[in-house]
């Protein structure tokens, strides 16, 4: 099922998964013509989020094949609709997870369109015109201007791309839980992958003491060195975990696979909060004792609104925060996906869609 409308006249080259093997192959398809609210963007770079892997392999049972993944998109505006005048040709822009929302509900009115119950995503969504959305593993994307952000001039387009999903997904719960503008907290980050490594950078930029809780002892040197973490715990080492009991104010859990929240919750002080952003296909284990004995809270969070995404981008511009990326060519997407599945990436793959390695 690849629904297009008569308005889908723009031929685009991309890469898609066609079944649950997840194998990505070149795929030519049509996008809608640039409408009055749209900008057309020449895609330069697109990050490979673990969510892309979940969709490619149909982990969540909701994939509409063929799926063109990609929601960490940076590029340059090449066409502007009559209502989209806040952008002009040549602007450096980014597109994240959101493609459409109702624009009327309390959440849309409040710049929290990510919680609109009619939210449609950049890929594997159904756009307003009834067509299936296709993501950033493609050379051109047409996006409604209300879901497009500007990229600060001082940031390179490749290492900025993952901020459009990984970045905003960790920024939003940090802000929402009082971790922005109140330095000196003890913060934990569980899982040092694409999301986790940005969370460490944000935690340090916001003045916190940051502890990484990881299954990979091999990541300790980098976590404490390049990423600036203060502490590192191996989650399978019960001695280390017990030593950290009741030490943290706030924990962000970014793990992509099933695991127990019990030992992690024990790390929180009384009344502490754990926000989970990871999306394993199996339910997390949530024992009640660490919850009730420590009056602790567990919350979720999904990406962020567009205003907040722009705020995060501008902050990254001011603090010069980008992601640690490995730039690949489109013909090696499958290898990269295999390595991502094996937890072998430091810390985000980014596809050089336009065929150049540059700092545009
Ligand atoms: P990633 O780069 O693969 O990082 C996930 C990390 O989780 C790994 O680096 C690893 O860190 C840890 N991990 C992996 N398998 C594990 C296991 N079996 N037990 C314990 N830890 C394990 O993935 P990502 O792109 O950061 O995405 C992480 C999750 O967030 C995915 O499920 C993705 O779908 C979800 N996500 C959610 C949102 C949202 O809006 N809520 C947005 C984007 C992504 P260590 O080696 O340090 O243990
Ligand atoms: Zn993502």
């Amino acid at each position: 099922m690849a629904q297009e409308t008569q308005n889908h006249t723009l031929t685009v080259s991309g890469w898609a998964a066609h079944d649950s093997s997840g194998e990505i192959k070149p795929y030519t398809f049509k996008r809608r013509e640039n409408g009055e609210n749209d900008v057309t963007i020449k895609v330069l770079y697109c990050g490979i989020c673990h969510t892309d892997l979940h969709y490619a392999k149909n982990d969540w049972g909701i994939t509409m094949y063929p799926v063109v993944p990609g929601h960490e998109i940076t590029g340059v505006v090449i066409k502007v609709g009559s209502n989209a005048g806040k952008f002009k040709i040549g602007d450096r822009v980014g597109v994240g997870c959101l493609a459409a929302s109702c624009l009327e509900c309390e959440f849309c009115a409040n710049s929290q369109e990510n919680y609109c119950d009619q939210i449609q995503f950049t890929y594997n969504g159904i756009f307003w015109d009834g067509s299936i959305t296709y993501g950033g593993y493609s050379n051109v994307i047409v996006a409604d201007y209300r879901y497009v952000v500007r990229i600060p001039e001082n940031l390179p387009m490749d290492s900025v791309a993952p901020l459009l999903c990984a970045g905003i997904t960790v920024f939003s719960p940090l802000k929402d839980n009082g971790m922005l503008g109140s330095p000196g907290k003890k913060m934990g980050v569980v899982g040092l992958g694409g999301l986790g490594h940005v969370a460490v950078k944000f935690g340090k930029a916001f003045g916190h003491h940051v502890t990484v809780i990881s299954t990979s002892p091999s990541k300790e040197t980098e976590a404490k060195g390049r990423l600036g973490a203060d502490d590192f715990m191996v989650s399978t080492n019960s001695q280390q975990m017990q030593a950290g009991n009741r030490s943290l104010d706030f924990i962000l859990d970014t793990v992509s696979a099933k695991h127990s929240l019990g030992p992690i919750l024990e790390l929180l002080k009384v009344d502490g909060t754990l926000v989970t952003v990871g999306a394993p296909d199996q339910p997390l284990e949530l024992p009640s004792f660490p919850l009730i004995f420590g009056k602790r809270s567990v919350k979720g969070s999904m990406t962020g609104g567009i205003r907040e995404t722009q705020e995060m981008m501008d902050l990254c511009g001011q603090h010069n925060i980008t992601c640690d990326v490995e730039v690949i060519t489109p013909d090696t997407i499958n290898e990269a996906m295999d390595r991502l599945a094996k937890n072998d990436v430091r810390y985000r793959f980014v596809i050089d869609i336009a065929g150049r390695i540059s700092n545009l």
Side-chain angles (χ1 to χ4, degrees):
M1 174 167 80
Q3 289 168 345
E4 296 163 354
T5 71
Q6 285 193 334
N7 192 30
H8 280 61
T9 50
L10 183 64
T11 303
V12 174
S13 304
W15 293 267
H18 295 262
D19 54 49
S20 60
S21 71
E23 190 189 347
I24 305 282
K25 297 179 189 158
Y27 177 59
T28 302
F29 60 97
K30 304 258 193 212
R31 291 196 184 277
R32 68 179 184 275
E33 272 303 315
N34 197 78
E36 55 185 14
N37 292 319
D38 291 328
V39 290
T40 299
I41 299 164
K42 175 183 163 61
V43 179
L44 295 179
Y45 295 99
C46 186
I48 300 184
C49 179
H50 205 113
T51 298
D52 301 351
L53 191 59
H54 289 306
Y55 271 111
K57 292 189 178 286
N58 199 18
D59 282 349
W60 300 327
I62 54 170
T63 304
M64 297 180 276
Y65 291 108
V67 64
V68 177
H71 56 207
E72 295 184 338
I73 303 159
T74 57
V76 173
V77 173
I78 54 172
K79 212 169 192 181
V80 180
S82 55
N83 294 339
K86 83 177 244 201
F87 293 104
K88 60 178 193 317
I89 289 172
D91 280 355
R92 293 157 30 103
V93 293
V95 175
C97 301
L98 309 184
S101 59
C102 82
L103 298 171
E104 284 172 355
C105 71
E106 59 176 302
F107 300 105
C108 287
N110 241 334
S111 299
Q112 287 193 296
E113 49 285 271
N114 46 318
Y115 295 114
C116 170
D117 68 359
Q118 291 175 48
I119 191 74
Q120 295 300 333
F121 294 116
T122 297
Y123 65 86
N124 207 68
I126 308 285
F127 194 65
W128 286 313
D129 62 8
S131 65
I132 294 176
T133 55
Y134 292 127
Y137 295 11
S138 61
N139 62 354
V140 171
I141 190 160
V142 180
D144 186 296
Y145 80 96
R146 288 166 288 207
Y147 306 91
V148 177
V149 297
R150 290 181 190 284
I151 309 291
E153 288 299 326
N154 60 318
L155 299 181
M157 294 294 256
D158 50 1
S159 53
V160 109
L163 293 175
L164 274 314
C165 173
I168 184 59
T169 299
V170 300
F171 179 83
S172 183
L174 287 176
K175 186 176 177 202
D176 203 36
N177 289 276
M179 301 294 284
L180 188 57
S182 62
K185 300 246 170 72
K186 296 246 178 169
M187 165 178 159
V189 176
V190 192
L192 195 61
L195 270 58
H197 94 286
V198 189
V200 172
K201 291 189 181 199
F202 284 169
K204 288 313 296 172
F206 303 160
H208 302 302
H209 180 281
V210 178
T211 301
V212 171
I213 300 121
S214 170
T215 58
S216 308
S218 63
K219 294 181 181 174
E220 176 165 2
T221 310
E222 266 174 16
K224 286 185 173 166
R226 201 167 76 217
L227 299 176
D230 301 283
D231 236 323
F232 190 94
M233 287 180 196
V234 178
S235 52
T236 48
N237 181 327
S238 51
Q239 260 180 331
Q240 276 186 22
M241 291 294 278
Q242 271 162 24
N245 263 0
R246 294 195 173 207
S247 64
L248 303 177
D249 297 294
F250 177 81
I251 296 177
L252 196 60
D253 187 328
T254 72
V255 171
S256 53
K258 182 182 175 178
H259 60 292
S260 175
L261 295 183
I264 300 167
L265 283 170
E266 299 283 11
L267 301 175
L268 282 175
K269 294 178 185 170
V270 173
D271 221 8
T273 300
L274 179 148
V275 175
T276 179
V277 289
D281 54 355
Q282 300 289 318
L284 298 167
E285 283 168 34
L286 181 58
S288 48
F289 276 33
L291 274 182
I292 60 181
F293 275 80
K295 205 192 2 157
R296 297 166 174 122
S297 310
V298 176
K299 297 165 78 172
S301 185
M302 193 193 60
T303 189
I306 297 301
R307 193 168 70 190
E308 202 172 33
T309 307
Q310 188 66 64
E311 180 190 346
M312 174 212 62
M313 271 296 169
D314 295 344
L315 216 74
C316 287
Q318 283 157 26
H319 291 266
N320 228 349
I321 298 175
T322 54
C323 306
D324 290 20
V325 300
E326 192 174 325
V327 179
I328 63 158
T329 51
D331 58 323
T332 59
I333 294 174
N334 289 308
E335 275 168 59
M337 289 252 183
D338 286 349
R339 283 183 50 198
L340 178 60
K342 291 184 195 132
N343 193 7
D344 173 24
V345 50
R346 301 288 191 279
Y347 284 91
R348 193 56 125 201
F349 289 112
V350 170
I351 311 164
D352 180 7
I353 299 280
R356 63 178 121 188
I357 310 277
S358 79
N359 279 345
L360 259 181

